[in-house]
Every structure is written in C-alpha cells, then in structure tokens.
Amino acid sequence: MAGNSQSLWRLGTGRDIDCAVDRIAGIVNVTPDSFYDGGRHDSVAAAVAHGLRLAQEGADILDVGGESTRPGAAPVPDAAEIARVVPVIAALTRARPDLPVSVDTYRAGCAAAALQAGAVIVNDVSACTFDPGLLELVAERRPGYVLMHSLGRPDVMQRDPRYDDVVAEILAFFEEKLAMLVRAGLPEDHVVLDPGIGFGKLPEHNLAILRHLDRFAVLGRPIYLGLSNKSFFGSLLALPVTERGEATAVASALCAGKGARIHRVHDVAMVKTALRLAASLAA
C-alpha cells in the first residue's frame, strides 16, 4: 500500500521508498578505520559480498561509505574515497538493481561519481557545509538525500559540544537546512532527517534526542536514525563495541515507536527481528 506524501521518500531516477513502515539501511563500510568494522570489508569483493548478505537479511537500502566519520577520524583524499566506493556501488547495483544504494559522503566529487555508478541516495553528515559543491549537485541530480545534524567535522565534533535545548536546536537546524535545500532546487520529499546521534553530542544529548524523537514529526519528513553500536551504549551500559548489537536492536525498536522509520545498522537480521516484533505488539 502506498504511503502518504509525508511518508514517501523520493529517490533519484523516479524511485521512492514508502516509509510508512520501518526500513533498514545496511551499512557497507569500505574503510580501514571505521569504529566497528574497519578493515573487515576493505576490498571490493569483500564489500560486495557483505552488501549482498545484508540484502538477503532484509536490508531495504545499502549504504556504502569510504571514509570513517567516527569521532576523531581524519579525512581521506577525494580520489581514495572515490576509488573505494564506486566499484562497490557499481557491483551492488548490477547484482541487485531492485535495491536502492546510498553513498555515505560529504564530497560533491564522490557523490557525483557514486550517482553515475548507480547510487540513488546521498547520505551526508555535513548538511552540504563541508563541500559547497554538494548543494548544487543534489539540487541538479535530485537523489534521495539524508540531511544530518552535526557539530563540525568528525575530527573536532566531540570537543566540548554544548546545547541549551538539544532537540529545539536540531529542529531549528532542520527547518533552516530544509529551506536551503528547497531554495536550491531539491524538493522536500527527497529529504529525510537524521538527528546525528553521536555527532557532536554527549550521552545526555543523545538520550534527550531519542526520548523526544516524536517532536521531529512536526517537520513532516521521515526520520533516519543511526544508532548502530554507538559509543553512548558503552557509556550507558558499559558495553564494549563488539557487544552492543542487542542494545542497538532494542533501542531501534523503541525508537520506531517514537517515529524513527529508517534504521541504519550493521546487523540487519537482528534489528529486523526487533522491528517486526515491535510492530506486531503495537498493531
């Protein structure tokens, strides 16, 4: 059943995703230094095989990234990022043309190359601020776009982040950036909103955001949430990074009840089970 205009996420090439039901974006990191799985899938063959496994487990989107955005991460050269992600995106779209592929990048050059290779979504941690050319590109090409809140670049974003009211400030940020994107030429129904858990936030900020996710519904766009194995699970529950899968699944299910609709995760099967159970209990 097709969703209403607020639940539809329009993608490039005329495709869309109905976010009236929960969707999962499976993470395909083609990086040596990502906080959870750095180096596990840093060859084209390994990354493609991993992406296809996530698709079999039920991923609705595959999100391919070539630069770690963990706190403190250093940037990589543009050419290196492109060389990492483009062959993987091209292979995944050939193998699964039915499955939308996303590129996790803030660079216009990488986004352009990824879209040319078959990606239909740009997942941007910068809200088009790190590379001004990205705004022009997404306005012209009109892919799906993940608008995320962050405080600065990954290498500095965790240096004493402060808010008076974190939820209100992110709401104001989203309103401003949505207006910017629409003025540039990207229709609002191509945009979903990611509050950026762990990106320039202390554990108390992350908890406040998650407790009040329903407040973001006023903006009328689907909420995209990246909780997977994040450090605040370590702070809150004293869990090492390799033991946060169950916490991720439980938190994803709870946040679905508060309005999160696209869940970006490493363990697709576990989160899919949790989301199905939560939806059944809420029916």
Side-chain angles (χ1 to χ4, degrees):
M1 182 171 62
N4 61 37
S5 60
Q6 291 190 346
S7 68
L8 284 177
W9 184 16
R10 306 288 184 186
L11 311 181
T13 66
R15 302 167 72 177
D16 58 54
I17 296 176
D18 182 5
C19 299
V21 295
D22 293 308
R23 301 297 183 180
I24 297 178
I27 298 170
V28 183
N29 281 327
V30 195
T31 56
D33 59 343
S34 289
F35 78 97
Y36 177 72
D37 56 358
R40 294 189 200 174
H41 317 117
D42 61 352
S43 72
V44 173
V48 171
H50 179 60
L52 294 177
R53 281 195 298 273
L54 296 180
Q56 290 177 341
E57 291 175 3
D60 301 285
I61 301 163
L62 296 176
D63 187 47
V64 181
E67 176 180 298
S68 176
T69 52
R70 61 180 171 78
V76 302
D78 293 19
E81 184 184 22
I82 291 170
R84 289 174 181 176
V85 303
V86 166
V88 176
I89 290 169
L92 287 172
T93 55
R94 284 195 301 269
R96 289 294 305 267
D98 58 312
L99 197 63
V101 175
S102 168
V103 61
D104 182 357
T105 187
Y106 55 80
R107 293 186 176 94
C110 184
L115 294 173
Q116 185 64 33
V120 292
I121 298 166
V122 175
N123 180 11
D124 171 26
V125 302
S126 81
C128 292
T129 60
F130 297 172
D131 181 350
L134 186 58
L135 178 60
E136 181 179 352
L137 176 75
V138 298
E140 177 185 347
R141 296 290 300 274
R142 295 188 173 186
Y145 181 75
V146 181
L147 170 61
M148 198 190 84
H149 177 272
S150 178
L151 286 183
R153 292 179 176 271
D155 56 346
V156 298
M157 65 187 178
Q158 288 300 109
R159 296 181 185 174
D160 194 27
R162 299 186 185 193
Y163 302 88
D164 292 325
D165 182 333
V166 65
V167 175
E169 289 174 45
I170 294 174
L171 275 168
F173 171 90
F174 282 150
E175 289 176 346
E176 175 190 347
K177 296 300 182 181
L178 272 172
M180 174 194 76
L181 290 162
V182 171
R183 284 196 306 269
L186 182 67
E188 191 171 290
D189 59 4
H190 285 242
V191 183
V192 296
L193 307 174
D194 181 352
I197 298 300
F199 283 77
K201 284 97 176 171
L202 299 176
E204 57 264 34
H205 300 140
N206 294 319
L207 286 172
I209 292 165
L210 298 179
R211 286 171 181 149
H212 300 287
L213 273 178
D214 53 341
R215 287 180 58 186
F216 295 107
V218 69
L219 298 171
R221 299 305 307 142
I223 301 304
Y224 184 110
L225 201 57
L227 293 180
S228 194
N229 301 303
K230 287 292 179 75
S231 62
F232 86 95
F233 291 126
S235 302
L236 188 65
L237 303 172
L239 293 171
V241 68
T242 56
E243 297 178 15
R244 298 173 188 168
E246 290 182 355
T248 298
V250 171
S252 296
L254 291 171
C255 289
K258 291 178 175 291
R261 282 295 166 264
I262 307 117
H263 307 266
R264 182 182 182 272
V265 299
H266 297 92
D267 189 333
V268 168
M270 184 182 291
V271 172
K272 189 173 185 68
T273 296
L275 291 172
R276 289 176 62 192
L277 176 59
S280 297
L281 293 175

